[in-house]
Amino acid sequence: MSATLATHQHGKSHVRLGRVWRHGDVHHFVELRVHTMLESDMAHAFLTDSNEGMTATDTQKNCVYYVAKQFTSPCSPEEFGLALAQHFVREYPRTVWKAKVAVEMMPWQRLDVGGQPHDHGFMMQGSEIRTAFVTFDNKGKAEVTAGLKDMKVLKTTQSGYSGFLHDKYTTLPDASDRIVATSVTATWRYSRPPASYDAAYGAVKAALCSAFYGPPKGGVFSPSVQFTLYRMGQGALARVPEVESVFLNMPNLHFIPCAPVTSTFDHDVYVATSEPHGNIEAVVTRGAAVPHCRL
C-alpha cells in the first residue's frame, strides 16, 4: 500500500505560566495557558528513526518561560504570543518555517478595597477567558487573532422567538417574552495591529455587550439569537477599525418556564438547563474580507 506524509507539525499544550512585574510597591500579575505548534523540516522524524534537528516539545515549553522573562513590563496575550512565535522562527531558522501560538489569559483582576486598587492583591472574577492566536513564518508574515470564551450573558426579558417553521415535528411554541442566555465564544482577526491590543479587546467586548443588552433603561428587543449575533459582529467591526473578521458562537443556556404545583407560571420560576441546547454561530466580515475561520 502506498502512503504519503501529507502534512505534519508538533508542539506543546497546556503550558501554564504565572508572571509578576514588580514596579515599586505596585505589582502586576497575569496567568496564561499557552499552546505551541511548529511547522518544520521534520518529515524525517515521521519517516525514519532520526530526530536530528528537532525542537523538542519540552524545549518549546522552556521557551515559553524564557520569553516571559524578557518582558520587562506587562504585555497583552497578543504581544506575548507574537514574541514567542517570532522566537521560535528566529531561533531555529534552519528547521522551523512557521510557529503557531495560542494563549489563554485567566480572569485575574486587581482587587478593589473600598474603592481603592490593592497594590498586590488579585481576585479571579467570572468565567470569561481572554484568548489570542498568533502565527509567524520565516517570511516575516504575522497574523493575530484575538478573542474570548465562556462569557456568560443573560437578560430576563426583551427577547422572543416566533414565526419559525411549525410542522408535525415541532413542539416548541412561539414566545414573545422569554429569558435569553448564552455562553459567548468570539474571535476576531486584525488586518493591522491596533494602537493597543488591550484597548481594542475592551472595545470589542463592550460592543458585543452593547448589542446584546441594549441601553440600561429598556434594553433592546431580540427576535432571535441569530439576529442579535449578527448585530454583535457588526458592532465589533464598527467599534474597532482594525478588526476585519468576527466569529461568534452562541449556544443557548435554557431557562424553561415552570409552573410549580398548585400555581401558574408568571415569568418567575424556571427550570435551568443547558442540555440539549441550540447552537448558533456565524462569521461577520468587513466588506469582502476573507473569513478568518470555517464553520
Side-chain angles (χ1 to χ4, degrees):
M1 183 189 75
S2 174
T4 301
L5 180 66
T7 185
H8 61 87
Q9 58 185 1
H10 71 289
K12 198 74 167 182
S13 295
H14 296 282
V15 182
R16 296 184 62 186
L17 162 70
R19 180 65 163 97
V20 175
W21 291 272
R22 298 189 174 205
H23 294 165
D25 292 334
V26 178
H27 298 178
H28 303 269
F29 173 77
V30 295
E31 179 187 350
L32 304 178
R33 184 178 294 120
V34 183
H35 312 263
T36 66
M37 195 64 72
L38 303 182
E39 295 184 11
S40 60
D41 188 19
M42 284 295 118
H44 60 270
F46 293 84
L47 302 174
T48 75
D49 60 1
S50 172
N51 295 319
E52 182 180 356
M54 182 182 296
T55 307
T57 65
D58 190 68
T59 301
Q60 296 180 43
K61 175 206 69 180
N62 295 339
C63 290
V64 171
Y65 300 109
Y66 171 81
V67 170
K69 182 75 171 179
Q70 308 315 302
F71 279 92
T72 58
S73 59
C75 62
S76 67
E78 295 88 347
E79 291 166 328
F80 179 79
L82 183 58
L84 182 58
Q86 290 173 335
H87 172 84
F88 287 129
V89 173
R90 292 169 178 171
E91 191 72 17
Y92 307 105
R94 296 180 60 185
T95 55
V96 177
W97 58 72
K98 187 173 186 179
K100 308 171 187 176
V101 177
V103 182
E104 299 176 344
M105 183 176 179
M106 302 302 106
W108 292 105
Q109 300 291 330
R110 187 176 298 279
L111 182 65
D112 183 273
V113 181
Q116 182 176 353
H118 199 284
D119 284 348
H120 53 263
F122 297 83
M123 179 179 293
M124 189 170 285
Q125 297 183 354
S127 60
E128 168 203 333
I129 295 175
R130 181 176 172 180
T131 64
F133 181 71
V134 179
T135 66
F136 184 79
D137 65 23
N138 58 5
K139 293 181 176 59
K141 181 182 178 182
E143 288 191 358
V144 178
T145 301
L148 56 82
K149 66 179 186 178
D150 300 331
M151 185 177 79
K152 293 182 172 62
V153 293
L154 176 150
K155 57 184 184 180
T156 55
T157 189
Q158 283 288 55
S159 173
Y161 187 54
S162 61
F164 52 90
L165 174 67
H166 287 261
D167 63 12
K168 63 182 179 181
Y169 305 108
T170 305
T171 58
L172 182 70
D174 286 352
S176 59
D177 188 4
R178 63 172 185 168
I179 289 177
V180 62
T182 184
S183 179
V184 179
T185 296
T187 63
W188 53 92
R189 184 181 63 204
Y190 294 107
S191 60
R192 59 189 185 277
S196 165
Y197 282 110
D198 288 338
Y201 175 85
V204 170
K205 179 182 173 183
L208 298 179
C209 290
S210 177
F212 181 85
Y213 291 112
K217 295 297 183 180
V220 63
F221 185 72
S222 169
S224 68
V225 173
Q226 288 87 338
F227 181 92
T228 297
L229 182 154
Y230 179 70
R231 276 142 191 84
M232 291 167 70
Q234 273 187 316
L237 293 172
R239 193 75 63 94
V240 182
E242 295 85 1
V243 173
E244 65 175 2
S245 177
V246 181
F247 164 79
L248 284 158
N249 171 268
M250 295 171 57
N252 294 121
L253 301 179
H254 289 298
F255 290 84
I256 301 171
C258 175
V261 292
T262 74
S263 64
T264 59
F265 174 69
D266 190 26
H267 298 280
D268 50 359
V269 179
Y270 299 83
V271 176
T273 180
S274 59
E275 296 178 351
H277 60 74
N279 198 17
I280 296 90
E281 59 185 19
V283 180
V284 184
T285 63
R286 187 182 303 280
V290 177
H292 70 286
C293 61
R294 294 180 178 178
L295 302 184

PDB file of all heavy atoms in Angstrom, residues 204 206-213 220-239 246 248 250 282 284:
ATOM      1  N   VAL A 204     -13.996  45.830  21.711  1.00  0.00           N
ATOM      2  CA  VAL A 204     -14.781  44.760  21.094  1.00  0.00           C
ATOM      3  C   VAL A 204     -15.734  44.152  22.115  1.00  0.00           C
ATOM      4  O   VAL A 204     -16.926  43.941  21.838  1.00  0.00           O
ATOM      5  CB  VAL A 204     -13.866  43.679  20.488  1.00  0.00           C
ATOM      6  CG1 VAL A 204     -14.696  42.462  20.067  1.00  0.00           C
ATOM      7  CG2 VAL A 204     -13.113  44.222  19.291  1.00  0.00           C
ATOM      8  N   ALA A 206     -16.980  45.522  24.754  1.00  0.00           N
ATOM      9  CA  ALA A 206     -18.049  46.489  25.033  1.00  0.00           C
ATOM     10  C   ALA A 206     -19.074  46.515  23.913  1.00  0.00           C
ATOM     11  O   ALA A 206     -20.287  46.610  24.160  1.00  0.00           O
ATOM     12  CB  ALA A 206     -17.447  47.877  25.238  1.00  0.00           C
ATOM     13  N   ALA A 207     -18.609  46.393  22.659  1.00  0.00           N
ATOM     14  CA  ALA A 207     -19.531  46.377  21.518  1.00  0.00           C
ATOM     15  C   ALA A 207     -20.412  45.132  21.542  1.00  0.00           C
ATOM     16  O   ALA A 207     -21.618  45.207  21.250  1.00  0.00           O
ATOM     17  CB  ALA A 207     -18.741  46.448  20.217  1.00  0.00           C
ATOM     18  N   LEU A 208     -19.839  43.995  21.871  1.00  0.00           N
ATOM     19  CA  LEU A 208     -20.621  42.760  21.954  1.00  0.00           C
ATOM     20  C   LEU A 208     -21.707  42.884  23.016  1.00  0.00           C
ATOM     21  O   LEU A 208     -22.871  42.530  22.796  1.00  0.00           O
ATOM     22  CB  LEU A 208     -19.710  41.583  22.276  1.00  0.00           C
ATOM     23  CG  LEU A 208     -18.604  41.245  21.268  1.00  0.00           C
ATOM     24  CD1 LEU A 208     -17.769  40.061  21.769  1.00  0.00           C
ATOM     25  CD2 LEU A 208     -19.165  40.938  19.892  1.00  0.00           C
ATOM     26  N   CYS A 209     -21.330  43.404  24.178  1.00  0.00           N
ATOM     27  CA  CYS A 209     -22.294  43.529  25.269  1.00  0.00           C
ATOM     28  C   CYS A 209     -23.367  44.562  24.947  1.00  0.00           C
ATOM     29  O   CYS A 209     -24.549  44.363  25.260  1.00  0.00           O
ATOM     30  CB  CYS A 209     -21.565  43.898  26.557  1.00  0.00           C
ATOM     31  SG  CYS A 209     -20.537  42.569  27.231  1.00  0.00           S
ATOM     32  N   SER A 210     -22.981  45.663  24.320  1.00  0.00           N
ATOM     33  CA  SER A 210     -23.952  46.701  23.976  1.00  0.00           C
ATOM     34  C   SER A 210     -25.017  46.169  23.022  1.00  0.00           C
ATOM     35  O   SER A 210     -26.217  46.443  23.190  1.00  0.00           O
ATOM     36  CB  SER A 210     -23.226  47.893  23.345  1.00  0.00           C
ATOM     37  OG  SER A 210     -24.145  48.875  22.935  1.00  0.00           O
ATOM     38  N   ALA A 211     -24.586  45.381  22.031  1.00  0.00           N
ATOM     39  CA  ALA A 211     -25.549  44.841  21.076  1.00  0.00           C
ATOM     40  C   ALA A 211     -26.446  43.788  21.722  1.00  0.00           C
ATOM     41  O   ALA A 211     -27.623  43.658  21.364  1.00  0.00           O
ATOM     42  CB  ALA A 211     -24.818  44.243  19.874  1.00  0.00           C
ATOM     43  N   PHE A 212     -25.925  43.047  22.665  1.00  0.00           N
ATOM     44  CA  PHE A 212     -26.727  42.020  23.330  1.00  0.00           C
ATOM     45  C   PHE A 212     -27.746  42.639  24.286  1.00  0.00           C
ATOM     46  O   PHE A 212     -28.936  42.297  24.260  1.00  0.00           O
ATOM     47  CB  PHE A 212     -25.829  41.044  24.093  1.00  0.00           C
ATOM     48  CG  PHE A 212     -26.579  39.949  24.791  1.00  0.00           C
ATOM     49  CD1 PHE A 212     -26.940  38.787  24.107  1.00  0.00           C
ATOM     50  CD2 PHE A 212     -26.953  40.068  26.126  1.00  0.00           C
ATOM     51  CE1 PHE A 212     -27.655  37.778  24.750  1.00  0.00           C
ATOM     52  CE2 PHE A 212     -27.666  39.065  26.773  1.00  0.00           C
ATOM     53  CZ  PHE A 212     -28.015  37.911  26.083  1.00  0.00           C
ATOM     54  N   TYR A 213     -27.291  43.556  25.133  1.00  0.00           N
ATOM     55  CA  TYR A 213     -28.157  44.089  26.188  1.00  0.00           C
ATOM     56  C   TYR A 213     -28.987  45.287  25.756  1.00  0.00           C
ATOM     57  O   TYR A 213     -30.110  45.471  26.219  1.00  0.00           O
ATOM     58  CB  TYR A 213     -27.313  44.489  27.402  1.00  0.00           C
ATOM     59  CG  TYR A 213     -26.693  43.324  28.135  1.00  0.00           C
ATOM     60  CD1 TYR A 213     -25.318  43.125  28.119  1.00  0.00           C
ATOM     61  CD2 TYR A 213     -27.481  42.434  28.855  1.00  0.00           C
ATOM     62  CE1 TYR A 213     -24.739  42.069  28.793  1.00  0.00           C
ATOM     63  CE2 TYR A 213     -26.911  41.376  29.549  1.00  0.00           C
ATOM     64  CZ  TYR A 213     -25.533  41.189  29.508  1.00  0.00           C
ATOM     65  OH  TYR A 213     -24.977  40.137  30.170  1.00  0.00           O
ATOM     66  N   VAL A 220     -32.934  46.310  24.508  1.00  0.00           N
ATOM     67  CA  VAL A 220     -33.243  46.220  23.084  1.00  0.00           C
ATOM     68  C   VAL A 220     -33.837  44.846  22.821  1.00  0.00           C
ATOM     69  O   VAL A 220     -33.401  43.845  23.412  1.00  0.00           O
ATOM     70  CB  VAL A 220     -31.981  46.454  22.225  1.00  0.00           C
ATOM     71  CG1 VAL A 220     -30.925  45.380  22.475  1.00  0.00           C
ATOM     72  CG2 VAL A 220     -32.330  46.517  20.743  1.00  0.00           C
ATOM     73  N   PHE A 221     -34.848  44.789  21.959  1.00  0.00           N
ATOM     74  CA  PHE A 221     -35.535  43.524  21.725  1.00  0.00           C
ATOM     75  C   PHE A 221     -34.728  42.626  20.797  1.00  0.00           C
ATOM     76  O   PHE A 221     -34.173  43.077  19.789  1.00  0.00           O
ATOM     77  CB  PHE A 221     -36.918  43.756  21.123  1.00  0.00           C
ATOM     78  CG  PHE A 221     -37.714  42.484  20.966  1.00  0.00           C
ATOM     79  CD1 PHE A 221     -38.235  41.844  22.070  1.00  0.00           C
ATOM     80  CD2 PHE A 221     -37.899  41.919  19.703  1.00  0.00           C
ATOM     81  CE1 PHE A 221     -38.962  40.660  21.940  1.00  0.00           C
ATOM     82  CE2 PHE A 221     -38.623  40.745  19.565  1.00  0.00           C
ATOM     83  CZ  PHE A 221     -39.147  40.108  20.675  1.00  0.00           C
ATOM     84  N   SER A 222     -34.691  41.354  21.128  1.00  0.00           N
ATOM     85  CA  SER A 222     -34.013  40.340  20.313  1.00  0.00           C
ATOM     86  C   SER A 222     -35.055  39.349  19.801  1.00  0.00           C
ATOM     87  O   SER A 222     -35.619  38.575  20.584  1.00  0.00           O
ATOM     88  CB  SER A 222     -32.959  39.592  21.136  1.00  0.00           C
ATOM     89  OG  SER A 222     -32.497  38.455  20.425  1.00  0.00           O
ATOM     90  N   PRO A 223     -35.328  39.322  18.480  1.00  0.00           N
ATOM     91  CA  PRO A 223     -36.289  38.365  17.940  1.00  0.00           C
ATOM     92  C   PRO A 223     -35.698  36.966  17.758  1.00  0.00           C
ATOM     93  O   PRO A 223     -36.428  36.020  17.495  1.00  0.00           O
ATOM     94  CB  PRO A 223     -36.663  38.976  16.586  1.00  0.00           C
ATOM     95  CG  PRO A 223     -35.452  39.737  16.181  1.00  0.00           C
ATOM     96  CD  PRO A 223     -34.851  40.263  17.445  1.00  0.00           C
ATOM     97  N   SER A 224     -34.385  36.846  17.853  1.00  0.00           N
ATOM     98  CA  SER A 224     -33.707  35.546  17.780  1.00  0.00           C
ATOM     99  C   SER A 224     -32.254  35.735  18.152  1.00  0.00           C
ATOM    100  O   SER A 224     -31.715  36.853  18.086  1.00  0.00           O
ATOM    101  CB  SER A 224     -33.796  34.959  16.353  1.00  0.00           C
ATOM    102  OG  SER A 224     -33.033  35.738  15.446  1.00  0.00           O
ATOM    103  N   VAL A 225     -31.596  34.664  18.529  1.00  0.00           N
ATOM    104  CA  VAL A 225     -30.157  34.727  18.792  1.00  0.00           C
ATOM    105  C   VAL A 225     -29.417  35.075  17.507  1.00  0.00           C
ATOM    106  O   VAL A 225     -28.424  35.812  17.518  1.00  0.00           O
ATOM    107  CB  VAL A 225     -29.657  33.390  19.383  1.00  0.00           C
ATOM    108  CG1 VAL A 225     -28.134  33.390  19.507  1.00  0.00           C
ATOM    109  CG2 VAL A 225     -30.293  33.137  20.745  1.00  0.00           C
ATOM    110  N   GLN A 226     -29.903  34.554  16.382  1.00  0.00           N
ATOM    111  CA  GLN A 226     -29.265  34.853  15.096  1.00  0.00           C
ATOM    112  C   GLN A 226     -29.231  36.356  14.836  1.00  0.00           C
ATOM    113  O   GLN A 226     -28.198  36.902  14.417  1.00  0.00           O
ATOM    114  CB  GLN A 226     -30.011  34.136  13.956  1.00  0.00           C
ATOM    115  CG  GLN A 226     -29.810  32.635  13.901  1.00  0.00           C
ATOM    116  CD  GLN A 226     -30.789  31.859  14.762  1.00  0.00           C
ATOM    117  OE1 GLN A 226     -31.372  32.397  15.715  1.00  0.00           O
ATOM    118  NE2 GLN A 226     -30.989  30.595  14.430  1.00  0.00           N
ATOM    119  N   PHE A 227     -30.367  37.019  15.026  1.00  0.00           N
ATOM    120  CA  PHE A 227     -30.479  38.457  14.797  1.00  0.00           C
ATOM    121  C   PHE A 227     -29.493  39.225  15.679  1.00  0.00           C
ATOM    122  O   PHE A 227     -28.784  40.133  15.222  1.00  0.00           O
ATOM    123  CB  PHE A 227     -31.921  38.895  15.089  1.00  0.00           C
ATOM    124  CG  PHE A 227     -32.202  40.356  14.869  1.00  0.00           C
ATOM    125  CD1 PHE A 227     -32.672  40.811  13.653  1.00  0.00           C
ATOM    126  CD2 PHE A 227     -32.018  41.282  15.902  1.00  0.00           C
ATOM    127  CE1 PHE A 227     -32.945  42.162  13.448  1.00  0.00           C
ATOM    128  CE2 PHE A 227     -32.277  42.630  15.706  1.00  0.00           C
ATOM    129  CZ  PHE A 227     -32.746  43.067  14.475  1.00  0.00           C
ATOM    130  N   THR A 228     -29.452  38.843  16.957  1.00  0.00           N
ATOM    131  CA  THR A 228     -28.575  39.537  17.901  1.00  0.00           C
ATOM    132  C   THR A 228     -27.112  39.252  17.611  1.00  0.00           C
ATOM    133  O   THR A 228     -26.261  40.140  17.688  1.00  0.00           O
ATOM    134  CB  THR A 228     -28.941  39.131  19.331  1.00  0.00           C
ATOM    135  OG1 THR A 228     -30.292  39.545  19.609  1.00  0.00           O
ATOM    136  CG2 THR A 228     -28.006  39.763  20.349  1.00  0.00           C
ATOM    137  N   LEU A 229     -26.794  38.002  17.264  1.00  0.00           N
ATOM    138  CA  LEU A 229     -25.403  37.640  16.956  1.00  0.00           C
ATOM    139  C   LEU A 229     -24.851  38.515  15.831  1.00  0.00           C
ATOM    140  O   LEU A 229     -23.731  39.031  15.927  1.00  0.00           O
ATOM    141  CB  LEU A 229     -25.329  36.163  16.586  1.00  0.00           C
ATOM    142  CG  LEU A 229     -23.962  35.555  16.265  1.00  0.00           C
ATOM    143  CD1 LEU A 229     -23.959  34.056  16.557  1.00  0.00           C
ATOM    144  CD2 LEU A 229     -23.552  35.781  14.814  1.00  0.00           C
ATOM    145  N   TYR A 230     -25.621  38.686  14.762  1.00  0.00           N
ATOM    146  CA  TYR A 230     -25.141  39.485  13.631  1.00  0.00           C
ATOM    147  C   TYR A 230     -24.867  40.924  14.052  1.00  0.00           C
ATOM    148  O   TYR A 230     -23.858  41.525  13.652  1.00  0.00           O
ATOM    149  CB  TYR A 230     -26.165  39.452  12.497  1.00  0.00           C
ATOM    150  CG  TYR A 230     -25.752  40.266  11.294  1.00  0.00           C
ATOM    151  CD1 TYR A 230     -24.706  39.859  10.478  1.00  0.00           C
ATOM    152  CD2 TYR A 230     -26.412  41.456  10.986  1.00  0.00           C
ATOM    153  CE1 TYR A 230     -24.318  40.619   9.379  1.00  0.00           C
ATOM    154  CE2 TYR A 230     -26.036  42.218   9.886  1.00  0.00           C
ATOM    155  CZ  TYR A 230     -24.983  41.799   9.091  1.00  0.00           C
ATOM    156  OH  TYR A 230     -24.606  42.553   8.024  1.00  0.00           O
ATOM    157  N   ARG A 231     -25.734  41.489  14.878  1.00  0.00           N
ATOM    158  CA  ARG A 231     -25.533  42.862  15.319  1.00  0.00           C
ATOM    159  C   ARG A 231     -24.365  42.985  16.289  1.00  0.00           C
ATOM    160  O   ARG A 231     -23.705  44.033  16.341  1.00  0.00           O
ATOM    161  CB  ARG A 231     -26.834  43.405  15.917  1.00  0.00           C
ATOM    162  CG  ARG A 231     -27.746  43.919  14.810  1.00  0.00           C
ATOM    163  CD  ARG A 231     -29.197  43.647  14.989  1.00  0.00           C
ATOM    164  NE  ARG A 231     -29.891  43.975  13.722  1.00  0.00           N
ATOM    165  CZ  ARG A 231     -29.981  43.123  12.689  1.00  0.00           C
ATOM    166  NH1 ARG A 231     -29.442  41.916  12.773  1.00  0.00           N
ATOM    167  NH2 ARG A 231     -30.605  43.496  11.572  1.00  0.00           N
ATOM    168  N   MET A 232     -24.074  41.946  17.022  1.00  0.00           N
ATOM    169  CA  MET A 232     -22.873  41.942  17.859  1.00  0.00           C
ATOM    170  C   MET A 232     -21.620  41.994  16.988  1.00  0.00           C
ATOM    171  O   MET A 232     -20.681  42.752  17.264  1.00  0.00           O
ATOM    172  CB  MET A 232     -22.862  40.706  18.756  1.00  0.00           C
ATOM    173  CG  MET A 232     -23.943  40.737  19.837  1.00  0.00           C
ATOM    174  SD  MET A 232     -24.200  39.148  20.669  1.00  0.00           S
ATOM    175  CE  MET A 232     -22.679  38.987  21.611  1.00  0.00           C
ATOM    176  N   GLY A 233     -21.614  41.201  15.907  1.00  0.00           N
ATOM    177  CA  GLY A 233     -20.485  41.247  14.975  1.00  0.00           C
ATOM    178  C   GLY A 233     -20.357  42.597  14.304  1.00  0.00           C
ATOM    179  O   GLY A 233     -19.252  43.139  14.166  1.00  0.00           O
ATOM    180  N   GLN A 234     -21.485  43.156  13.873  1.00  0.00           N
ATOM    181  CA  GLN A 234     -21.490  44.489  13.274  1.00  0.00           C
ATOM    182  C   GLN A 234     -20.902  45.524  14.234  1.00  0.00           C
ATOM    183  O   GLN A 234     -20.108  46.389  13.844  1.00  0.00           O
ATOM    184  CB  GLN A 234     -22.915  44.910  12.926  1.00  0.00           C
ATOM    185  CG  GLN A 234     -23.432  44.476  11.576  1.00  0.00           C
ATOM    186  CD  GLN A 234     -24.801  45.101  11.292  1.00  0.00           C
ATOM    187  OE1 GLN A 234     -25.676  45.140  12.160  1.00  0.00           O
ATOM    188  NE2 GLN A 234     -24.982  45.581  10.085  1.00  0.00           N
ATOM    189  N   GLY A 235     -21.310  45.439  15.477  1.00  0.00           N
ATOM    190  CA  GLY A 235     -20.846  46.400  16.471  1.00  0.00           C
ATOM    191  C   GLY A 235     -19.348  46.336  16.680  1.00  0.00           C
ATOM    192  O   GLY A 235     -18.683  47.368  16.824  1.00  0.00           O
ATOM    193  N   ALA A 236     -18.796  45.112  16.697  1.00  0.00           N
ATOM    194  CA  ALA A 236     -17.348  44.964  16.865  1.00  0.00           C
ATOM    195  C   ALA A 236     -16.597  45.588  15.698  1.00  0.00           C
ATOM    196  O   ALA A 236     -15.586  46.283  15.886  1.00  0.00           O
ATOM    197  CB  ALA A 236     -16.992  43.487  16.998  1.00  0.00           C
ATOM    198  N   LEU A 237     -17.079  45.367  14.478  1.00  0.00           N
ATOM    199  CA  LEU A 237     -16.436  45.945  13.302  1.00  0.00           C
ATOM    200  C   LEU A 237     -16.507  47.468  13.325  1.00  0.00           C
ATOM    201  O   LEU A 237     -15.555  48.158  12.943  1.00  0.00           O
ATOM    202  CB  LEU A 237     -17.098  45.415  12.029  1.00  0.00           C
ATOM    203  CG  LEU A 237     -16.921  43.924  11.738  1.00  0.00           C
ATOM    204  CD1 LEU A 237     -17.794  43.512  10.552  1.00  0.00           C
ATOM    205  CD2 LEU A 237     -15.465  43.580  11.448  1.00  0.00           C
ATOM    206  N   ALA A 238     -17.644  47.999  13.764  1.00  0.00           N
ATOM    207  CA  ALA A 238     -17.812  49.453  13.799  1.00  0.00           C
ATOM    208  C   ALA A 238     -16.947  50.098  14.865  1.00  0.00           C
ATOM    209  O   ALA A 238     -16.451  51.225  14.684  1.00  0.00           O
ATOM    210  CB  ALA A 238     -19.288  49.801  14.037  1.00  0.00           C
ATOM    211  N   ARG A 239     -16.758  49.394  15.972  1.00  0.00           N
ATOM    212  CA  ARG A 239     -16.036  49.982  17.107  1.00  0.00           C
ATOM    213  C   ARG A 239     -14.520  49.979  16.909  1.00  0.00           C
ATOM    214  O   ARG A 239     -13.838  50.887  17.369  1.00  0.00           O
ATOM    215  CB  ARG A 239     -16.393  49.212  18.382  1.00  0.00           C
ATOM    216  CG  ARG A 239     -15.978  49.878  19.682  1.00  0.00           C
ATOM    217  CD  ARG A 239     -16.863  51.041  20.057  1.00  0.00           C
ATOM    218  NE  ARG A 239     -18.234  50.630  20.304  1.00  0.00           N
ATOM    219  CZ  ARG A 239     -18.718  50.327  21.511  1.00  0.00           C
ATOM    220  NH1 ARG A 239     -17.933  50.363  22.578  1.00  0.00           N
ATOM    221  NH2 ARG A 239     -20.003  49.998  21.647  1.00  0.00           N
ATOM    222  N   VAL A 246     -15.074  38.677  12.276  1.00  0.00           N
ATOM    223  CA  VAL A 246     -15.508  38.316  13.625  1.00  0.00           C
ATOM    224  C   VAL A 246     -16.260  36.990  13.572  1.00  0.00           C
ATOM    225  O   VAL A 246     -17.227  36.851  12.816  1.00  0.00           O
ATOM    226  CB  VAL A 246     -16.425  39.398  14.239  1.00  0.00           C
ATOM    227  CG1 VAL A 246     -16.832  39.006  15.657  1.00  0.00           C
ATOM    228  CG2 VAL A 246     -15.745  40.755  14.226  1.00  0.00           C
ATOM    229  N   LEU A 248     -18.504  34.337  15.906  1.00  0.00           N
ATOM    230  CA  LEU A 248     -19.264  34.243  17.146  1.00  0.00           C
ATOM    231  C   LEU A 248     -19.959  32.895  17.232  1.00  0.00           C
ATOM    232  O   LEU A 248     -20.586  32.446  16.273  1.00  0.00           O
ATOM    233  CB  LEU A 248     -20.318  35.351  17.224  1.00  0.00           C
ATOM    234  CG  LEU A 248     -19.801  36.754  17.554  1.00  0.00           C
ATOM    235  CD1 LEU A 248     -20.783  37.809  17.086  1.00  0.00           C
ATOM    236  CD2 LEU A 248     -19.555  36.882  19.054  1.00  0.00           C
ATOM    237  N   MET A 250     -22.686  31.031  19.874  1.00  0.00           N
ATOM    238  CA  MET A 250     -23.568  31.384  20.978  1.00  0.00           C
ATOM    239  C   MET A 250     -24.584  30.266  21.237  1.00  0.00           C
ATOM    240  O   MET A 250     -25.694  30.283  20.704  1.00  0.00           O
ATOM    241  CB  MET A 250     -24.270  32.717  20.685  1.00  0.00           C
ATOM    242  CG  MET A 250     -23.290  33.890  20.621  1.00  0.00           C
ATOM    243  SD  MET A 250     -23.987  35.463  20.041  1.00  0.00           S
ATOM    244  CE  MET A 250     -25.313  35.737  21.209  1.00  0.00           C
ATOM    245  N   ALA A 282     -21.735  32.211  13.462  1.00  0.00           N
ATOM    246  CA  ALA A 282     -21.592  32.884  12.176  1.00  0.00           C
ATOM    247  C   ALA A 282     -20.273  33.638  12.161  1.00  0.00           C
ATOM    248  O   ALA A 282     -19.670  33.896  13.209  1.00  0.00           O
ATOM    249  CB  ALA A 282     -22.754  33.847  11.925  1.00  0.00           C
ATOM    250  N   VAL A 284     -18.885  37.293  10.637  1.00  0.00           N
ATOM    251  CA  VAL A 284     -19.275  38.592  10.095  1.00  0.00           C
ATOM    252  C   VAL A 284     -17.993  39.313   9.674  1.00  0.00           C
ATOM    253  O   VAL A 284     -17.069  39.456  10.481  1.00  0.00           O
ATOM    254  CB  VAL A 284     -20.047  39.435  11.126  1.00  0.00           C
ATOM    255  CG1 VAL A 284     -20.526  40.749  10.510  1.00  0.00           C
ATOM    256  CG2 VAL A 284     -21.227  38.649  11.692  1.00  0.00           C
TER     257      VAL A 284
END
